[in-house]
């Protein structure tokens, strides 16, 4: 019995139903796994027809670390035979199995963000993004400088390389289609913090110089944020339409019930009081009464005119 063939554990609805002889051979298929020394064989999960003469039985596995995987045992029987034989068996991932990602060549496994301090990453051989620095590369600024000086970098970005970079930046976190850009009051192209790039990318890209925003990042000219240099504070000082109401100058008074037992209408009234009013407490609540034998304040005091009138009457 072989275990190297990839057997699908899913049904094939366009094939004929499983022959009863093959469908009833559940324990025969389980015994085939046991004969191989497999002890982590769980419950029977079902059987599917591979063709007219073969069928695949699937069993759950209890192997640690293989959650969701299934044992597959392929059985076959000749058209006129009543005997079942085992073709092959294999341990295959089921619909919920955790499997490794698809294989990638080693030169394609490094992704953006994997480079750390100390790592060395050489470009691919004949990288189409790079061209020799001493030939025209299509960027007017670079071409003019190279011709003027007669020297240049060993390699510079090709047209394809610049287009790839521009597309990444356009579709990245600081592109014109982001939520931040859609909610911004204006664009980076009109912002004082925008530092345009040199060369052919100048028309569409620059670097943000605002430390409170995308500082040091390449941003699209149509990107924007709330920290735009033309952003203005909301107008108005927040003065209320009406004067403030001082609820500390209002006293709520509950009136006692009337003689008939019913509460007076409007039992609670609001009596305005000044800030200098205070409830009488202690000795200060006593009202001074006039002392017996003492003159009233009006009588005790006499004016010079009253004195002259009394003197004239005695004469």
């Amino acid at each position: 019995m072989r275990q190297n063939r990839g057997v699908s554990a899913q049904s094939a609805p366009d094939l004929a139903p499983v022959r009863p002889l093959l469908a009833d051979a559940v324990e025969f298929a389980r015994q085939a796994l046991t004969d191989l020394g497999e002890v982590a064989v769980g419950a029977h999960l079902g059987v599917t027809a591979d063709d007219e003469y073969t069928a695949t039985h699937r069993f759950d596995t209890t192997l640690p670390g293989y959650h969701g995987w299934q044992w597959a045992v392929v059985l076959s029987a000749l058209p006129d035979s009543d005997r079942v034989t085992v073709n092959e068996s294999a341990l295959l991932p089921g619909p919920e199995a955790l499997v490794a990602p698809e294989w990638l060549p080693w030169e394609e496994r490094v992704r953006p963000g994997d480079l750390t301090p100390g790592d060395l990453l050489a470009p691919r051989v004949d990288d189409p993004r790079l061209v020799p620095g001493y030939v025209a590369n299509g960027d007017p600024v670079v071409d003019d400088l190279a011709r003027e000086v007669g020297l240049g970098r060993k390699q510079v970005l090709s047209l394809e390389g610049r287009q790839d970079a521009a597309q990444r930046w356009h579709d990245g976190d600081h592109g014109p289609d982001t939520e931040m850009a859609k909610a911004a009051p204006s664009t980076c192209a009109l912002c004082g913090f925008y530092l345009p790039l040199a060369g052919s990318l100048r028309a569409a890209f620059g670097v943000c110089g605002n430390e409170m925003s995308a500082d040091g990042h390449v941003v699209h000219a149509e990107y924007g944020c709330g920290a735009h240099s033309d952003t203005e504070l909301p107008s108005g000082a927040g003065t209320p339409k009406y004067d403030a109401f001082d609820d500390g100058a209002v006293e709520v008074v509950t009136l006692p019930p009337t003689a008939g037992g019913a509460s007076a209408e409007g039992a609670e009234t609001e009596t305005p009081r000044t800030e200098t009013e205070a409830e009488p407490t202690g000795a200060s609540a006593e009202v001074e009464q006039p002392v017996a034998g003492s003159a009233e304040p009006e009588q005790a005091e006499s004016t010079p005119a009253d004195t002259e009138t009394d003197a004239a009457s005695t004469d």
Side-chain angles (χ1 to χ4, degrees), residues 9-314:
Q10 298 188 6
S11 61
D14 55 335
L15 299 178
V18 182
R19 289 171 56 187
L21 178 64
L22 297 173
D24 295 339
V26 177
E27 294 304 321
F28 184 80
R30 184 188 296 273
Q31 186 63 39
L33 295 173
T34 304
D35 292 343
L36 289 174
E38 304 295 349
V39 295
V41 182
H44 184 252
L45 300 178
V47 59
T48 56
D50 298 325
D51 54 36
E52 184 179 356
Y53 309 109
T54 60
T56 300
H57 285 268
R58 293 173 290 110
F59 299 88
D60 191 16
T61 180
T62 57
L63 285 172
Y66 283 84
H67 173 75
W69 287 62
Q70 302 172 355
W71 292 107
V73 181
V74 181
L75 304 180
S76 63
L78 295 175
D80 300 329
S81 175
D82 59 352
R83 297 184 59 187
V84 177
T85 59
V86 178
N87 281 11
E88 55 191 343
S89 64
L91 181 62
L92 301 175
E96 300 180 358
L98 180 63
V99 296
E102 295 184 5
W103 184 85
L104 288 175
W106 68 268
E107 65 271 12
E108 299 179 11
R109 296 178 187 175
V110 179
R111 311 304 301 168
D114 292 343
L115 193 66
T116 60
D119 292 342
L120 299 177
L121 180 62
R124 299 192 298 266
V125 178
D126 298 328
D127 195 323
R129 301 171 299 173
L130 297 172
V131 294
Y134 52 81
V135 300
N137 71 337
D139 189 330
V141 176
V142 176
D143 293 345
D144 293 343
L145 179 61
R147 284 193 295 269
E148 178 181 350
V149 179
L151 299 174
R153 290 170 289 171
K154 185 177 181 180
Q155 294 185 96
V156 294
L157 271 179
S158 64
L159 177 61
E160 181 180 351
R162 293 197 305 274
Q163 290 176 343
D164 289 345
Q167 190 64 47
R168 289 195 308 272
W169 297 343
H170 178 278
D171 300 337
D173 296 337
H174 303 101
D177 297 329
T178 59
E179 295 299 323
M180 179 72 77
K182 294 177 181 178
S186 186
T187 61
C188 289
L190 303 176
C191 181
F193 296 107
Y194 182 72
L195 304 172
L197 294 182
S200 59
L201 296 176
R202 178 185 180 91
F205 297 99
V207 177
C208 177
N210 188 347
E211 63 178 340
M212 305 306 295
S213 183
D215 187 33
H217 289 80
V218 175
V219 295
H220 194 276
E222 298 301 319
Y223 178 72
C225 69
H228 194 279
S229 61
D230 294 339
T231 302
E232 298 180 357
L233 294 176
S235 59
T239 302
K241 185 176 180 180
Y242 302 100
D243 294 336
F245 177 75
D246 186 8
D247 55 358
V250 177
E251 180 182 7
V252 179
V253 179
T254 302
L255 298 179
T258 60
S263 300
E265 184 178 0
E268 293 185 0
T269 61
E270 295 183 351
T271 303
R273 50 189 298 190
T274 62
E275 296 180 355
T276 57
E277 289 181 346
E279 294 294 335
T281 57
S284 61
E286 298 180 359
V287 179
E288 296 182 359
Q289 299 294 334
V291 181
S294 62
E296 291 295 332
E298 293 81 359
Q299 297 177 358
E301 296 179 0
S302 59
T303 61
D306 294 338
T307 306
E308 293 177 0
T309 306
D310 293 341
S313 59
T314 54

